[in-house]
Amino acid sequence: MKRGFQSTMNHRNIYLALIPAFLLLSVFQYIPFFSAFYRAFFDWNGAQRSEFIGWDNFTTLLADDPVFIRSLGTMGIIVAVNLVQGVGMALLLATLIHHVRSERLKYFYRIMVIIHAVVPSIVTTLLWKNFYSTDGLVNQLLSAVGLESYASTWLGDERTALGAILFLGFPWVNGVFTLIYLAAYLGINPEIYEAGRIDGVTAWKRFRYIEFSSLIPQTRLIAVLSIIGSIQNFEGILILTNGGPAYSTLVPGLMLYQYAFKYSQMGYASAIGVLMFIIILSLTLLNRKWGANE
Amino acid sequence: MFLNMNKYKRANLFFIVAFLIVSVLTGCNQNSDNSSTVVSEQSEEAAVTNENEKESAPMAGEITVVTLYKENVKNLEQAANDYMALHEKVKITVKQMPYDGYGEWLKSQFLSNNAPEVIFTEGANEFKATDHIISLNDYLEEPNPYSNSGNQKWKDDFVSPYVDLSKDAGGSVNMVPWSLFGIGIYYNKGLFEKAGISELPKTWNEFMSVGEKLKQSGVIPWAVALKPSDAQTAWPLFIMHAATTRSLVPEVNLRTADGWNFDANNPLSVQGETIGPDERYVAFKKGLIDPAKSKAMADPYRVMKQAAQYMNSKDFLAIEGGDAINKFVNGESAMLYQGTWYLPSLQTKLAEYKANGQNDKVFEFGIFPFPQITNENTDTLTMGGVNQLGGLRNGFMVKKMDDENKTKIAIDFLKFITSPQEADKLFQMTDPETGFRYITDISTVQGVAPMPGTEEMQPKQEWADMTAGGVNYDQKDWDEFWVQWQQYLTDRISEEQFLAQRSKSNLEALERNLKVFEKDVDQAWIEEQLQGLK
């Protein structure tokens, strides 16, 4: 104990230097985060009016707000699809690039998967909005191949809007996730490959038993990042459909934003935030449990 | 010689001299009296002149006028130059403030005491509430020395009833009105002709037959986007609800000023009256303005639903307001419900087509008022018809200042620019580059001719509008309206479901309002009113 204190005192300048950063983090991150748990129990308009209402916000959300329940379902679909897209495409691409024999080509592909990340996501979203317009690229392509009967108002029809949002960004290449997998591939011991070759394993078995089992920690990380991102991000939906038509693309994140900044119902928005936090935490713990079992 | 004269001659000469002396002396006295009168009058005149000089001494000083529209800078600069030519010792500077978020900008200017003296704005009451601007009531009762209208009071130079209608709840006029917006249906004359339409529709039923003819001719009759970014389909609901619920006003507006009487035929009869959140809540609970129970609330929705078949139903859920406008400009649709503010961009676009040699895209357009619904469409029109949508768009407010001289200049300048002759000059001004007017809105000053083509958009207030029940009562209600409206107009929900959903959304909004405006709500009064109600 005494040695610990002495050690802290010896490095006090470092600890002191950390204080401003943590003070600012406290003011702008921690206090708002923790106060949301407290405010979720109030009917609070973000200003003077604040009335303690107990669990009312939560019971309304879960028992009396069909729009929120529907948005949870939509969020579930988005999380699942994004998980498959994020993990699947990054893994596929990383595996293919890893097995390219030419080092120069490998380098070229690595650059190519990351280069599109410099384009702001809002540009991509607006581009896709244009593709989905009535006389946009998607309908033009369908007409060009004789499938004009399938042309639709993709973002304006509640039967197609969610699908259109899920398809956005095709072929869903996430440069960062791909690089994480590529880095993990470099960590696989070449002797294992050699042993596999001697044993005559097929490409699929090599992937399943040698490569994928080595990539599980990265897969867990990417899965967690993908889940958190899918639950938190709603900018694309805000721009493309604003949650419509008829709430078909509404997600809890967008609802939180609307209640907080459009309707001045900060207490209700805080309750949505708390539920989102619980969902993220539960999924992360499940992921950890999966990792522990592995 | 005098001594040598005889007695008679000496006597005659004496009388003559005496007469002359008396005459001279009398004359002198008379002159003397006159002189004193003149002096006295002169000193009185001098006193009055001094007083007048003090009043009408050449004005001297400097004020700043700020506008929120870029296109108004030139007009105001012209007005300032004209005024400065009359008042050499006055300097008026015209500036532009940012349009987006100008309210916040102004608040910061007031707080830092940097606000300009005269502010051209779209709304003034919130600044009066914070005591940053002056009430103009007394000034508007004064004569306008620059006006050639012959009116005794400045306020009489304005189109009735906009000065009075612009009063806040406290009866204060906070803005010198400048222009009115009007909304009408822009139509493509060529497409109308092609569809064989020779007469413009005046009633709703005629409007429906025009829609059918246009549809048969292969064009989209009415381009709309069914989103908050294009409130075209909600605007008719606003004016229809005002008309269909007019007869309910005395039953809804229960807490009135002493002796208030509602006269549906007098737009001024609702002046100063507001329907509070508690009154609306009570009216809703009584079923008066509940869309699920009140025909007056439901009928406007039903009427508008009839028009859905003539809208661009294929994509009106997908497109935005701007796309709907493009459909009209590109000749895909024959009609567009828009305001006076849209005129410059339409003219510019058509001029661009012409300049680029795209003559096939150039078309002649006209504007007609939104068709009247009649008793054939609803039996709830028991007190007058539908007023056209429109009203006061902007005006000038004057900063509250300690410097009386600046206030005086500000008021005098406003009298100058709202004199019929100066206002007419400013409204006629055209941009030399485009040849179009800077101001396409309608002047509030009487006698200023509207821009050719916009005559039909003059927002006539024929009946008193108080809107006992409306489409929505807060932002969330408005957002929910659009979801429900989209589903109803696209046949995804039935009329019954739509009205039930509207009813629920309206009630929730009214309940929220009771909390938001807690201080103005009299809970005991609500309970008393709802006593005995199931």
Side-chain angles (χ1 to χ4, degrees):
Chain A
M1 183 80 177
K2 200 175 177 183
R3 273 181 62 195
F5 177 74
Q6 192 57 49
S7 167
T8 306
M9 286 309 287
N10 289 343
H11 299 94
R12 62 184 176 279
N13 288 342
I14 295 170
Y15 289 110
L16 284 173
L18 285 171
I19 288 175
F22 275 95
L23 267 179
L24 289 172
L25 271 174
S26 300
V27 171
F28 295 110
Q29 300 280 338
Y30 302 146
I31 293 174
F33 174 76
F34 289 111
S35 76
F37 286 88
Y38 171 71
R39 293 291 184 184
F41 294 93
F42 284 80
D43 175 11
W44 181 43
N45 67 352
Q48 307 92 337
R49 189 164 53 79
S50 181
E51 185 193 341
F52 180 76
I53 51 168
W55 291 94
D56 280 10
N57 283 332
F58 293 99
T59 48
T60 307
L61 265 175
L62 296 170
D64 201 23
D65 193 341
V67 176
F68 178 70
I69 301 299
R70 185 174 176 183
S71 78
L72 282 179
T74 308
M75 185 190 78
I77 295 170
I78 291 174
V79 167
V81 174
N82 281 358
L83 191 64
V84 173
Q85 286 171 353
V87 174
M89 282 309 293
L91 184 60
L92 175 69
L93 217 59
T95 307
L96 292 174
I97 293 171
H98 177 69
H99 290 288
V100 170
R101 286 170 191 269
S102 160
E103 284 302 317
R104 290 183 69 182
L105 262 180
K106 246 186 206 179
Y107 181 74
F108 170 76
Y109 285 128
R110 279 206 302 268
I111 297 291
M112 290 307 285
V113 293
I114 198 70
I115 205 163
H116 72 276
V118 300
V119 179
S121 61
I122 189 155
V123 174
T124 314
T125 309
L126 289 172
L127 207 61
W128 275 88
K129 187 173 189 179
N130 196 274
F131 290 168
Y132 284 136
S133 64
T134 319
D135 47 5
L137 186 71
V138 177
N139 282 348
Q140 282 180 20
L141 279 175
L142 286 170
S143 298
V145 295
L147 296 171
E148 57 269 12
S149 59
Y150 288 95
S152 175
T153 52
W154 299 100
L155 297 171
D157 190 328
E158 57 189 285
R159 291 163 300 188
T160 54
L162 183 59
I165 281 180
L166 292 171
F167 195 75
L168 188 141
F170 178 81
W172 316 298
V173 175
N174 187 310
V176 176
F177 289 176
T178 311
L179 288 186
I180 290 173
Y181 273 130
L182 278 170
Y185 264 113
L186 293 176
I188 299 173
N189 190 344
E191 286 173 10
I192 303 177
Y193 276 117
E194 195 53 41
R197 203 169 15 251
I198 292 165
D199 291 345
V201 294
T202 60
W204 167 246
K205 281 186 175 170
R206 182 186 66 202
F207 173 74
R208 172 69 188 87
Y209 296 107
I210 298 174
E211 293 172 341
F212 188 67
S213 54
S214 306
L215 299 175
I216 281 175
Q218 286 70 30
T219 304
R220 275 172 47 211
L221 171 71
I222 289 169
V224 168
L225 290 177
S226 176
I227 290 167
I228 294 175
S230 306
I231 293 175
Q232 285 184 334
N233 295 337
F234 60 84
E235 299 90 342
I237 295 174
L238 178 73
I239 295 165
L240 292 175
T241 60
N242 198 21
Y247 307 122
S248 59
T249 58
L250 188 67
V251 288
L254 181 54
M255 256 185 103
L256 184 157
Y257 162 77
Q258 288 175 339
Y259 273 94
F261 301 108
K262 258 179 115 177
Y263 311 144
S264 297
Q265 293 186 42
M266 288 284 189
Y268 202 70
S270 298
I272 296 174
V274 169
L275 288 179
M276 282 173 65
F277 171 76
I278 292 170
I279 293 168
I280 291 174
L281 188 70
S282 310
L283 290 173
T284 309
L285 289 175
L286 266 177
N287 188 292
R288 278 186 60 146
K289 201 176 173 192
W290 168 51
N293 290 343
E294 286 286 325
Chain B
M1 194 173 94
F2 181 73
L3 291 172
N4 293 335
M5 287 180 184
N6 65 32
K7 191 178 167 182
Y8 294 104
K9 278 185 179 175
R10 271 189 287 176
N12 283 341
L13 188 64
F14 173 78
F15 281 116
I16 290 167
V17 171
F19 175 73
L20 284 173
I21 291 169
V22 169
S23 300
V24 169
L25 285 174
T26 314
C28 284
N29 275 344
Q30 281 173 345
N31 280 348
S32 166
D33 283 346
N34 282 349
S35 303
S36 67
T37 310
V38 168
V39 169
S40 161
E41 279 177 3
Q42 277 175 345
S43 30
E44 273 177 29
E45 274 174 17
V48 172
T49 311
N50 283 341
E51 201 56 39
N52 284 345
E53 272 173 8
K54 204 178 163 187
E55 274 290 304
S56 62
M59 270 187 290
E62 193 174 338
I63 61 163
T64 302
V65 178
V66 70
T67 171
L68 76 162
Y69 309 118
K70 190 181 160 198
E71 61 269 25
N72 269 76
V73 173
K74 292 277 179 209
N75 302 67
L76 288 174
E77 280 175 350
Q78 180 63 51
N81 289 337
D82 291 348
Y83 185 79
M84 289 189 287
L86 289 176
H87 303 275
E88 290 174 356
K89 291 182 178 174
V90 173
K91 188 182 174 202
I92 297 177
T93 311
V94 177
K95 287 182 180 171
Q96 196 202 335
M97 60 180 159
Y99 183 81
D100 290 326
Y102 79 90
E104 294 304 312
W105 183 84
L106 274 177
K107 277 179 204 165
S108 67
Q109 298 297 302
F110 280 123
L111 288 173
S112 59
N113 210 19
N114 285 324
E117 286 75 24
V118 175
I119 301 149
F120 188 49
T121 176
E122 287 181 345
N125 292 353
E126 63 170 313
F127 298 104
K128 183 69 177 62
T130 49
D131 206 26
H132 285 125
I133 57 168
I134 60 172
S135 169
L136 299 161
N137 294 43
D138 293 342
Y139 297 107
L140 286 159
E141 296 292 327
E142 293 173 354
N144 181 354
Y146 302 103
S147 171
N148 58 2
S149 65
N151 288 325
Q152 295 297 307
K153 295 175 179 175
W154 182 20
K155 74 170 190 180
D156 294 335
D157 281 351
F158 296 97
V159 176
S160 177
Y162 292 102
V163 172
D164 288 323
L165 280 181
S166 64
K167 283 180 180 173
D168 64 19
S172 168
V173 178
N174 304 319
M175 200 159 81
V176 175
W178 180 246
S179 75
L180 305 169
F181 72 91
I183 299 182
I185 295 186
Y186 289 70
Y187 70 101
N188 182 320
K189 286 186 177 175
L191 294 180
F192 264 52
E193 214 171 282
K194 198 177 137 198
I197 300 159
S198 51
E199 282 212 20
L200 295 174
K202 288 188 178 65
T203 65
W204 183 258
N205 289 352
E206 287 170 7
F207 185 53
M208 290 298 97
S209 3
V210 161
E212 187 56 39
K213 282 181 186 169
L214 287 165
K215 196 177 175 181
Q216 294 301 327
S217 75
V219 294
I220 299 164
W222 184 6
V224 300
L226 215 52
K227 289 183 179 176
S229 63
D230 180 17
Q232 276 190 75
T233 56
W235 290 337
L237 295 173
F238 299 159
I239 50 177
M240 286 185 204
H241 273 135
T244 55
T245 63
R246 193 174 287 123
S247 61
L248 301 173
V249 167
E251 288 175 83
V252 175
N253 187 34
L254 294 171
R255 303 166 77 190
T256 66
D258 289 340
W260 178 72
N261 273 316
F262 178 61
D263 179 359
N265 295 313
N266 176 13
L268 291 179
S269 76
V270 293
Q271 187 190 310
E273 287 291 324
T274 48
I275 298 172
D278 37 13
E279 288 167 305
R280 273 231 163 78
Y281 178 74
V282 166
F284 189 95
K285 294 298 269 184
K286 285 179 179 172
L288 295 171
I289 57 168
D290 179 349
K293 295 175 183 167
S294 162
K295 204 163 181 300
M297 288 300 298
D299 275 0
Y301 296 122
R302 292 187 185 115
V303 169
M304 275 299 289
K305 174 78 163 78
Q306 293 170 16
Q309 58 187 313
Y310 304 123
M311 296 170 187
N312 44 312
S313 53
K314 194 184 157 202
D315 62 1
F316 69 171
L317 282 177
I319 66 171
E320 298 291 340
D323 302 322
I325 288 175
N326 287 340
K327 283 184 187 293
F328 177 70
V329 176
N330 296 336
E332 286 176 62
S333 86
M335 294 187 289
L336 187 73
Y337 190 33
Q338 272 291 344
T340 35
W341 60 81
Y342 169 61
L343 203 52
S345 52
L346 176 61
Q347 287 174 320
T348 309
K349 192 73 195 171
L350 294 174
E352 259 176 42
Y353 286 152
K354 205 170 179 180
N356 296 339
Q358 298 169 285
N359 289 326
D360 54 322
K361 286 188 169 183
V362 180
F363 62 88
E364 251 189 88
F365 68 91
I367 302 164
F368 63 86
F370 195 80
Q372 278 284 342
I373 52 168
T374 65
N375 290 329
E376 288 174 354
N377 310 111
T378 174
D379 56 7
T380 58
L381 285 174
T382 52
M383 280 190 175
V386 179
N387 281 322
Q388 288 297 315
L389 191 57
L392 188 60
R393 185 172 179 207
N394 49 40
F396 297 91
M397 55 186 186
V398 178
K399 181 172 80 162
K400 192 173 188 179
M401 298 172 267
D402 293 332
D403 187 341
E404 281 179 28
N405 184 49
K406 287 200 173 201
T407 307
K408 193 175 148 192
I409 296 172
I411 295 290
D412 198 62
F413 174 66
L414 293 181
K415 283 182 176 175
F416 174 73
I417 64 168
T418 55
S419 62
Q421 62 277 23
E422 185 67 15
D424 192 49
K425 179 181 167 183
L426 298 176
F427 271 83
Q428 308 280 352
M429 272 178 72
T430 51
D431 183 342
E433 278 182 26
T434 62
F436 302 134
R437 280 197 194 191
Y438 288 113
I439 313 172
T440 52
D441 285 328
I442 298 152
S443 175
T444 55
V445 179
Q446 294 204 50
V448 176
M451 186 174 160
T454 62
E455 297 88 349
E456 295 296 338
M457 293 166 96
Q458 185 87 28
K460 297 179 194 84
Q461 286 280 320
E462 292 180 65
W463 298 281
D465 275 349
M466 206 168 171
T467 313
V471 171
N472 69 299
Y473 302 109
D474 72 0
Q475 180 64 48
K476 187 162 187 278
D477 194 7
W478 178 241
D479 287 350
E480 286 171 356
F481 160 75
W482 283 104
V483 173
Q484 295 153 6
W485 193 226
Q486 286 169 352
Q487 292 189 302
Y488 177 48
L489 290 192
T490 52
D491 294 319
R492 283 172 172 81
I493 54 173
S494 67
E495 181 184 298
E496 198 183 346
Q497 286 172 313
F498 171 74
L499 294 173
Q501 289 180 13
R502 250 347 10 247
S503 169
K504 185 172 180 280
S505 295
N506 281 169
L507 178 61
E508 285 171 358
L510 290 168
E511 285 170 346
R512 281 191 295 271
N513 283 344
L514 292 182
K515 283 186 181 174
V516 173
F517 303 104
E518 211 170 9
K519 285 177 188 165
D520 306 317
V521 170
D522 186 341
Q523 202 59 46
W525 181 83
I526 294 177
E527 281 162 23
E528 185 192 321
Q529 290 294 321
L530 297 180
Q531 219 168 23
L533 213 70
K534 271 187 186 175

